[in-house]
Coordinates of all heavy atoms in Angstrom, one line a residue:
Chain B
E640 N -46.1 7.1 -45.0 CA -47.1 7.7 -45.8 C -48.3 8.0 -44.9 O -48.7 7.2 -44.1 CB -47.6 6.8 -46.9 CG -46.5 6.6 -48.0 CD -46.3 7.8 -48.9 OE1 -47.3 8.6 -49.0 OE2 -45.2 8.0 -49.4
T641 N -48.9 9.2 -45.1 CA -50.1 9.5 -44.3 C -51.3 9.8 -45.3 O -51.1 10.2 -46.4 CB -49.9 10.7 -43.5 OG1 -49.5 11.8 -44.3 CG2 -49.0 10.4 -42.3
H642 N -52.5 9.5 -44.8 CA -53.6 9.7 -45.7 C -54.7 10.4 -44.8 O -55.4 9.8 -44.0 CB -54.2 8.5 -46.3 CG -53.1 7.8 -47.1 ND1 -52.8 8.2 -48.3 CD2 -52.4 6.7 -46.8 CE1 -51.8 7.4 -48.8 NE2 -51.5 6.5 -47.9
G643 N -54.8 11.7 -45.0 CA -55.8 12.5 -44.2 C -57.1 12.6 -44.9 O -57.3 11.9 -45.9
A644 N -57.9 13.5 -44.4 CA -59.2 13.7 -45.0 C -59.1 14.4 -46.4 O -60.0 14.2 -47.2 CB -60.1 14.6 -44.1
L645 N -58.0 15.2 -46.6 CA -57.8 15.8 -47.8 C -56.7 15.2 -48.6 O -55.7 14.7 -48.1 CB -57.4 17.3 -47.6 CG -58.4 18.1 -46.8 CD1 -57.9 19.5 -46.5 CD2 -59.7 18.3 -47.5
S646 N -56.8 15.2 -49.9 CA -55.7 14.6 -50.8 C -54.6 15.6 -50.8 O -54.7 16.8 -50.5 CB -56.2 14.4 -52.2 OG -56.3 15.6 -52.9
H647 N -53.4 15.1 -51.2 CA -52.2 16.0 -51.2 C -52.4 17.2 -52.1 O -52.0 18.3 -51.8 CB -51.0 15.1 -51.6 CG -49.7 15.7 -51.2 ND1 -48.6 15.0 -51.0 CD2 -49.4 17.0 -51.0 CE1 -47.6 15.8 -50.6 NE2 -48.0 17.1 -50.6
T648 N -53.0 16.9 -53.3 CA -53.2 18.0 -54.2 C -54.2 19.1 -53.7 O -53.9 20.3 -53.8 CB -53.9 17.4 -55.5 OG1 -53.4 16.1 -55.7 CG2 -53.7 18.3 -56.7
M649 N -55.2 18.6 -53.0 CA -56.1 19.5 -52.3 C -55.4 20.4 -51.3 O -55.6 21.6 -51.2 CB -57.2 18.8 -51.6 CG -58.4 18.4 -52.5 SD -59.3 19.8 -53.1 CE -59.9 20.4 -51.5
V650 N -54.5 19.8 -50.5 CA -53.8 20.5 -49.5 C -53.0 21.6 -50.2 O -52.9 22.8 -49.8 CB -52.9 19.6 -48.7 CG1 -52.0 20.4 -47.8 CG2 -53.8 18.6 -47.9
G651 N -52.3 21.2 -51.3 CA -51.4 22.1 -52.0 C -52.2 23.3 -52.5 O -51.9 24.5 -52.3
I652 N -53.4 23.1 -53.0 CA -54.2 24.2 -53.6 C -54.7 25.1 -52.4 O -54.6 26.3 -52.5 CB -55.4 23.6 -54.4 CG1 -54.9 22.9 -55.6 CG2 -56.4 24.7 -54.7 CD1 -55.9 22.0 -56.3
L653 N -55.2 24.4 -51.4 CA -55.7 25.1 -50.2 C -54.6 26.1 -49.6 O -54.9 27.2 -49.3 CB -56.1 24.1 -49.2 CG -57.0 24.7 -48.0 CD1 -58.3 25.3 -48.6 CD2 -57.4 23.6 -47.1
T654 N -53.4 25.6 -49.5 CA -52.3 26.4 -49.0 C -52.1 27.6 -49.8 O -51.9 28.7 -49.3 CB -51.0 25.5 -48.9 OG1 -51.3 24.3 -48.3 CG2 -50.0 26.2 -48.1
V655 N -52.0 27.4 -51.1 CA -51.8 28.5 -52.0 C -52.9 29.6 -51.9 O -52.7 30.8 -51.9 CB -51.5 28.0 -53.4 CG1 -51.5 29.2 -54.4 CG2 -50.3 27.2 -53.5
V656 N -54.1 29.0 -51.9 CA -55.3 30.0 -51.8 C -55.2 30.8 -50.5 O -55.4 32.0 -50.5 CB -56.6 29.2 -51.9 CG1 -57.8 30.1 -51.6 CG2 -56.7 28.6 -53.3
L657 N -54.9 30.1 -49.4 CA -54.9 30.8 -48.1 C -53.8 31.9 -48.2 O -54.0 33.0 -47.6 CB -54.7 29.9 -47.0 CG -56.0 29.2 -46.6 CD1 -55.7 28.0 -45.6 CD2 -56.9 30.2 -45.9
A658 N -52.6 31.5 -48.7 CA -51.5 32.5 -48.8 C -51.9 33.7 -49.6 O -51.6 34.8 -49.3 CB -50.3 31.8 -49.3
A659 N -52.6 33.4 -50.7 CA -53.0 34.5 -51.6 C -54.0 35.4 -50.9 O -53.9 36.6 -51.0 CB -53.7 33.9 -52.9
I660 N -54.9 34.8 -50.1 CA -55.8 35.7 -49.3 C -55.0 36.6 -48.3 O -55.2 37.7 -48.3 CB -56.8 34.8 -48.6 CG1 -57.7 34.1 -49.6 CG2 -57.6 35.6 -47.6 CD1 -58.7 33.0 -48.9
G661 N -54.0 36.0 -47.7 CA -53.2 36.7 -46.7 C -52.5 37.9 -47.4 O -52.5 39.0 -47.0
A662 N -51.9 37.6 -48.6 CA -51.1 38.6 -49.3 C -52.1 39.6 -49.8 O -51.8 40.9 -49.7 CB -50.4 37.9 -50.4
G663 N -53.2 39.2 -50.3 CA -54.2 40.2 -50.9 C -54.7 41.1 -49.8 O -54.8 42.3 -50.0
L664 N -55.0 40.6 -48.6 CA -55.4 41.4 -47.5 C -54.4 42.5 -47.1 O -54.7 43.6 -46.9 CB -55.6 40.5 -46.3 CG -56.7 40.9 -45.3 CD1 -58.1 40.9 -46.1 CD2 -56.8 39.9 -44.2
A665 N -53.1 42.0 -47.2 CA -52.0 43.0 -46.9 C -52.0 44.1 -47.9 O -51.8 45.3 -47.6 CB -50.7 42.3 -46.8
F666 N -52.2 43.7 -49.2 CA -52.2 44.8 -50.2 C -53.4 45.7 -50.0 O -53.2 47.0 -50.2 CB -52.4 44.1 -51.6 CG -51.0 43.9 -52.3 CD1 -50.5 42.7 -52.4 CD2 -50.4 45.0 -52.8 CE1 -49.2 42.5 -53.0 CE2 -49.1 44.9 -53.4 CZ -48.6 43.6 -53.5
L667 N -54.6 45.2 -49.6 CA -55.7 46.1 -49.4 C -55.4 47.0 -48.3 O -55.8 48.2 -48.3 CB -56.9 45.2 -49.1 CG -57.5 44.4 -50.3 CD1 -58.7 43.6 -49.8 CD2 -58.0 45.5 -51.3
L668 N -54.8 46.5 -47.2 CA -54.6 47.3 -46.0 C -53.5 48.3 -46.2 O -53.5 49.5 -45.7 CB -54.3 46.4 -44.8 CG -55.6 45.9 -44.1 CD1 -55.1 44.9 -43.0 CD2 -56.4 47.0 -43.5
F669 N -52.3 47.9 -46.8 CA -51.1 48.7 -46.7 C -50.8 49.3 -48.1 O -50.0 50.2 -48.2 CB -49.9 48.0 -46.2 CG -50.2 47.4 -44.8 CD1 -50.4 46.0 -44.6 CD2 -50.3 48.2 -43.7 CE1 -50.7 45.5 -43.4 CE2 -50.5 47.7 -42.5 CZ -50.7 46.4 -42.3
G670 N -51.3 48.6 -49.2 CA -50.8 49.0 -50.5 C -51.5 50.1 -51.1 O -51.0 50.8 -52.0
R671 N -52.7 50.5 -50.6 CA -53.5 51.4 -51.3 C -53.5 52.8 -50.6 O -54.1 53.8 -51.1 CB -54.9 50.9 -51.4 CG -55.0 49.6 -52.2 CD -56.4 49.3 -52.7 NE -57.4 49.5 -51.6 CZ -58.7 49.6 -51.8 NH1 -59.1 49.4 -53.0 NH2 -59.5 49.7 -50.8

Side-chain angles (χ1 to χ4, degrees):
Chain B
E640 291 290 331
T641 52
H642 302 285
L645 300 173
S646 76
H647 200 154
T648 324
M649 274 298 291
V650 172
I652 293 167
L653 194 60
T654 311
V655 172
V656 168
L657 279 168
I660 292 173
L664 212 60
F666 265 106
L667 287 176
L668 276 174
F669 305 106
R671 301 197 313 168

